[in-house]
Amino acid sequence: MNETMVTVVGNAASAVETRTTAAGRPMARLRLATTVRRYDEARGGWTDAYTSFYTVWAFRGLAENLAASVGIGEPLVVHGRLRVQQGERDGRRWMSAEIEATSVGHDLARGTSAFTRCGRPVPGSESEANT
């Protein structure tokens, strides 16, 4: 109920890695890079500032569709629950920003994409019995 929902625009910085949970459900992970751009008056144009990286997690059907649809460097819009973790390992402090995605899509402000709807089995049908 009190979760922090975010929408982040960036580029896929890694290939999508897929796994299966202990319960047999698909999950996927990728790194998302987002670079802040600022107007530089001295240069008279836009310049890159700093880059933030997020680990994006997806589960079930979203995980399968993410793995089938996204490649390294592609522009994405990710919406989901933000979780920031910090700790200490080997005497060094670390911080991690993760997003449990509820939606992921290509950023159509920077290109085009073709959508293919995934079929869902109809309850009681033969295709549902085979899944």
Side-chain angles (χ1 to χ4, degrees):
M1 186 164 170
N2 292 322
E3 298 172 306
T4 303
M5 300 297 287
V6 295
T7 301
V8 181
V9 177
N11 292 313
S14 71
V16 177
E17 299 173 15
T18 58
R19 300 179 193 151
T20 304
T21 66
R25 293 191 174 86
M27 62 187 271
R29 169 190 183 274
L30 71 87
R31 296 283 288 162
L32 183 74
T34 181
T35 301
V36 173
R37 303 221 355 121
R38 296 222 155 89
Y39 189 77
D40 185 344
E41 298 228 8
R43 288 185 174 165
W46 291 92
T47 185
D48 289 345
Y50 58 90
T51 302
S52 296
F53 291 89
Y54 300 89
T55 300
V56 176
W57 292 95
F59 298 91
R60 296 184 174 85
L62 179 57
E64 293 172 333
N65 294 341
L66 186 69
S69 302
V70 173
I72 296 174
E74 292 183 3
L76 300 175
V77 179
V78 175
H79 181 75
R81 294 172 196 86
L82 177 66
R83 181 176 55 213
V84 178
Q85 298 177 334
Q86 55 185 345
E88 190 171 323
R89 186 178 317 134
D90 299 326
R92 300 187 69 176
R93 294 193 55 77
W94 59 268
M95 184 176 287
S96 169
E98 299 181 349
I99 300 171
E100 183 182 330
T102 56
S103 295
V104 178
H106 286 109
D107 183 357
L108 298 182
R110 297 190 278 159
T112 62
S113 185
F115 180 78
T116 304
R117 185 174 303 277
C118 296
R120 288 196 164 74
V122 176
S125 70
E126 182 179 320
S127 61
E128 181 186 48
N130 293 331
T131 58

